[in-house]
Amino acid sequence: MYSLNVPPPSAVTRLASDLARDVPRARARQRGEHTLVCKRLGDGDGARLAARAREALSGVVPFELRVSGIDLFETPSSGPGPVIYLDVESPGLQRLHERLCAAFDPVAGIEADGYTPHVTIARGGELTSARRLARREIDPIRWTADRLSVWDSHRSVPVREFSLPL
């Protein structure tokens, strides 16, 4: 599966790594695995999907984002739960997601109206620990997305990067 992602800044990835220590038995994201999915592009030829994404990104300018808190998916749509994550607020990201849903079919249940922008902290582990962490308050982290990357989830590597504005 390929996706178009917003690379999170080091302050966000560091926070996610630090918080993961408080969710015993959960699988934490490793260094370089933290992503913020803007839109899943599908399976197939990565180069072709990246070219389609670039066309859909025409005119997109940098946009602001804010990590605002911690939350969880108790029963995620796929894979083991719970999934504990950093909640991301961004009207610009929401608009971009909607735009990309017009160019690439939305994944049922997790995109379009079901889209929740987030950076995963950890997956699995004890639900009580995840709930306790989700109640913790954090200092917000703000940043500007000035680049996007096409991510290959099978190999956990970026295959193409776009600088904004396009």
Side-chain angles (χ1 to χ4, degrees):
M1 171 69 70
Y2 292 91
S3 60
L4 185 69
N5 293 0
V6 177
S10 59
V12 171
T13 61
R14 200 170 29 252
L15 175 62
S17 294
D18 290 347
L19 291 170
R21 295 183 190 124
D22 293 336
V23 190
R25 300 190 195 129
R27 184 194 175 281
R29 298 283 178 162
Q30 299 302 309
R31 185 176 186 179
E33 291 182 337
H34 293 98
T35 61
L36 170 53
V37 174
C38 176
K39 172 72 182 84
R40 284 156 188 81
L41 305 177
D43 288 314
D45 181 339
R48 184 172 294 149
L49 290 167
R52 281 184 57 204
R54 187 181 193 335
E55 287 177 22
L57 293 170
S58 178
V60 172
V61 298
F63 52 92
E64 300 298 314
L65 301 103
R66 178 178 174 257
V67 166
S68 57
I70 305 168
D71 208 343
L72 71 141
F73 302 119
E74 289 192 17
T75 53
S77 59
S78 65
V83 174
I84 187 112
Y85 62 87
L86 295 170
D87 191 34
V88 177
E89 297 175 358
S90 173
L93 178 60
Q94 289 285 355
R95 285 190 299 275
L96 180 55
H97 177 77
E98 291 167 10
R99 179 179 186 168
L100 291 165
C101 282
F104 295 88
D105 291 336
V107 177
I110 60 172
E111 292 188 331
D113 291 341
Y115 178 57
T116 302
H118 68 280
V119 175
T120 298
I121 296 170
R123 179 183 278 274
E126 298 171 357
L127 182 56
T128 55
S129 296
R131 285 178 176 157
R132 185 171 35 256
L133 184 57
R135 289 191 298 268
R136 187 178 303 171
E137 291 193 24
I138 60 169
D139 291 330
I141 299 173
R142 298 175 191 275
W143 81 99
T144 300
D146 59 3
R147 63 190 172 94
L148 303 170
S149 66
V150 175
W151 184 261
D152 179 343
S153 67
H154 297 295
R155 297 183 304 156
S156 294
V157 295
V159 296
R160 181 79 194 271
E161 190 167 286
F162 305 109
S163 293
L164 299 178
L166 274 180

